[in-house]
Amino acid sequence: MDIPPLVLAVGAIVAGYLIGGIPFGIVIARVVGGPDPRSMGSGRTGGANVMRALGFRAALVAGLLDAAKGSVAVVLAVALGTDPLVQAFAALAAIVGHSRSPYIGMRGGRGVAPAWGALLVIQPVVAMAVIPVFVGILFLTRISSLASLATSVAAAVGLVAAVVVVPMAPAFAVYALAGAAAIWLFHADNIQRLLAGEERRIEWRLRGGRGGGPGGGAPGGGGGPDAAD
């Protein structure tokens, strides 16, 4: 019996949300026996706060896994034979799930990593092109929120341009604009601190721990609630 398209569409979007909600930052902390990233910094679960709790390498793993959530959400929607609009909404659902996870009391990260992971499937050239934007701003300023906000704008512009030039399905322009808007919404408190000149900076540490690392100082490496997780 054929499954109605509406059922497939709803299933893909719900699956995207549930996949996006997996809190890999917390999972990694429990696997390695380190502090819960929610206990320091921004209290978020994404890569920037994992760096404060567990160090760079754990943050890299968490970031890659979080990005994979967005990729899997889109790939699943494609595998179910849904149209581009449903694929776009499945990607958006993964972003929302990451930030409002049903597994940890509707808390989570900022949605940046799964947004990029979804983009990697939707338009890999744009996804790769925005990496230098993020890395450059992050290393120049050590403010992860600023890097994430700027990169979300660059990705949105790049994807809309690809929709026009390649061309691609117009539905992906919906993802470009709505995804960037969601990221900015989830960074509302960061934006307030940026405007006030109070956003704190990340200290680079290869290893985490409550005693601090080479970056010096207190848990979280001197970075306050600036995470763009």
Side-chain angles (χ1 to χ4, degrees):
M1 182 179 68
D2 291 337
I3 301 175
L6 179 60
V7 174
L8 290 175
V10 171
I13 294 170
V14 171
Y17 173 72
L18 295 176
I19 292 168
I22 301 172
F24 280 118
I26 296 175
V27 172
I28 291 172
R30 292 181 179 176
V31 169
V32 303
D36 189 320
R38 294 172 295 178
S39 67
M40 57 183 62
S42 67
R44 296 279 183 163
T45 62
N49 221 37
V50 173
M51 183 182 297
R52 294 190 176 91
L54 303 170
F56 177 78
R57 285 172 288 191
L60 179 61
V61 174
L64 291 173
L65 289 173
D66 285 341
K69 296 188 296 189
S71 297
V72 170
V74 178
V75 169
L76 179 60
V78 172
L80 290 175
T82 63
D83 61 42
L85 184 60
V86 175
Q87 296 165 26
F89 276 108
L92 291 171
I95 297 173
V96 174
H98 178 78
S99 185
R100 300 292 184 267
S101 172
Y103 310 119
I104 52 173
M106 306 305 288
R107 299 174 63 189
R110 309 282 188 183
V112 177
W116 183 83
L119 180 62
L120 186 62
V121 176
I122 292 170
Q123 177 44 257
V125 173
V126 174
M128 299 306 293
V130 299
I131 291 177
V133 176
F134 179 84
V135 173
I137 295 175
L138 183 62
F139 273 86
L140 285 173
T141 68
R142 292 186 291 115
I143 302 176
S144 58
S145 58
L146 181 61
S148 295
L149 291 167
T151 302
S152 70
V153 173
V157 171
L159 184 52
V160 170
V163 167
V164 175
V165 174
V166 172
M168 298 174 62
F172 293 125
V174 174
Y175 172 69
L177 299 176
I183 288 172
W184 277 66
L185 177 63
F186 296 145
H187 279 83
D189 54 332
N190 300 92
I191 293 171
Q192 291 178 351
R193 288 191 294 272
L194 283 168
L195 293 175
E198 298 173 351
E199 189 74 307
R200 299 183 186 180
R201 301 172 190 269
I202 287 178
E203 294 291 342
W204 303 113
R205 296 182 298 146
L206 291 179
R207 298 182 65 183
R210 295 194 175 275
D226 68 327
D229 306 325

